[in-house]
Amino acid sequence: QVQLVESGGGAVQAGGSLKLSCVAPEVTFSSRAMGWVRQAQGKDSEFIAARIWSSVLTSDQESMKGRFTISTDNAKNTMFLQMNSLTADDTAVYYCVSGTHLSRDPLQYPYWGQGTQVTVSS
């Protein structure tokens, strides 16, 4: 059993920033790939970024390049997602996910958290 708990979502004005957090069990954090996936209402899930050990894989979508950054606090088994210059197109449920390897396919991550809602208004 893998438990992933996201927090930090909410409402923000366009152009603003948010920082999301994901807490995982120590064994998951230290040995598994972990990342972030989002899903807007009525749309397919979309990969954002993921890490395993010191390796990081980021989205190849132009709309997200340079705006979203992942980081970790290893002592607290916590992964973060810093989001800047937010627009209405970023409105979605954001999920912390885990799997065996890095991939840009969200379905390659078997374990998902409960999700945290991010709503960006004009």
Side-chain angles (χ1 to χ4, degrees), residues 6-83:
E6 307 98 326
S7 62
V12 63
Q13 294 276 15
S17 299
L18 282 175
K19 189 174 184 179
L20 308 182
S21 300
C22 173
V23 180
E26 182 177 354
V27 65
T28 298
F29 188 87
S30 63
S31 64
R32 307 275 288 190
M34 292 180 59
W36 293 94
V37 170
R38 69 183 184 184
Q39 186 168 31
Q41 186 172 348
K43 298 183 178 180
D44 291 335
S45 57
E46 184 177 30
F47 174 80
I48 300 172
R51 46 68 67 179
I52 186 169
W53 300 102
S54 298
S55 299
V56 177
L57 180 67
T58 56
S59 172
D60 59 359
Q61 299 299 308
E62 292 292 333
S63 62
M64 287 190 285
K65 287 183 178 180
R67 298 195 299 118
F68 294 177
T69 304
I70 58 171
S71 61
T72 59
D73 184 339
N74 296 334
K76 297 182 178 180
N77 301 326
T78 302
M79 177 180 64
F80 305 99
L81 178 65
Q82 178 67 50
M83 305 186 293

Side-chain angles (χ1 to χ4, degrees), residues 89-107:
D89 290 337
D90 296 315
T91 295
V93 177
Y94 285 71
Y95 296 92
C96 180
V97 300
S98 179
T100 60
H101 59 278
L102 296 178
S103 176
R104 292 192 175 99
D105 179 5
L107 296 182

